[in-house]
Amino acid sequence: MNQADNEELDTDACWRLLATATMGRLATATDRGVRIWPVNYRVRERTLIFRSDPGTKVWDIAAHPQVSFEIDGLEDGQHWSVVVTGHAKPIDGDVPGPSSAREELVSVNPGPKRMLLRITPDRVTGRRFVSAIARSSLWNSRPVGWRVPS
């Protein structure tokens, strides 16, 4: 892959991409390693908010508030990835905005999600790249005797 196929995204581009998605992966630290959680989220004033219920994820954050959050996607034939590293904590009040964040942020995971949490970023990074698989002649070739099933 040449350098033109791999672009580092500036912070504004990262926030634009973060605002286009609603589902990401939250990485929390534990004494035994890292856990990864799928979470619904929203961008609010260059922070991320998500819902949870008291349990393992919230306990992890209480013990180790430093977290990482990642989203990725495909746009115009290019893959992209954005990673946010920062600190998470419960929000005491509601998040300002045009509507109540508690009502707007509905989890796809069934069950109550009574807590609202905020990730305040220390760092936001991203990159966009052309898939090496899509350009690979090996990936795009068919094995001898291979046929499309009917």
Side-chain angles (χ1 to χ4, degrees), residues 4 6 10 12 30 47-48 54 69 81 123 133:
N6 191 1
D10 66 28
D12 289 336
T30 73
T47 67
L48 304 175
F69 182 85
S81 175
R123 187 168 183 218
I133 293 173

Side-chain angles (χ1 to χ4, degrees), residues 7-36:
E7 172 191 4
E8 193 169 318
L9 300 174
D10 66 28
T11 303
D12 289 336
C14 290
W15 281 109
R16 279 192 299 278
L17 289 169
L18 283 162
T20 65
T22 59
M23 177 74 86
R25 288 166 294 284
L26 174 72
T28 60
T30 73
D31 293 335
R32 293 185 174 167
V34 175
R35 289 190 241 249
I36 310 264

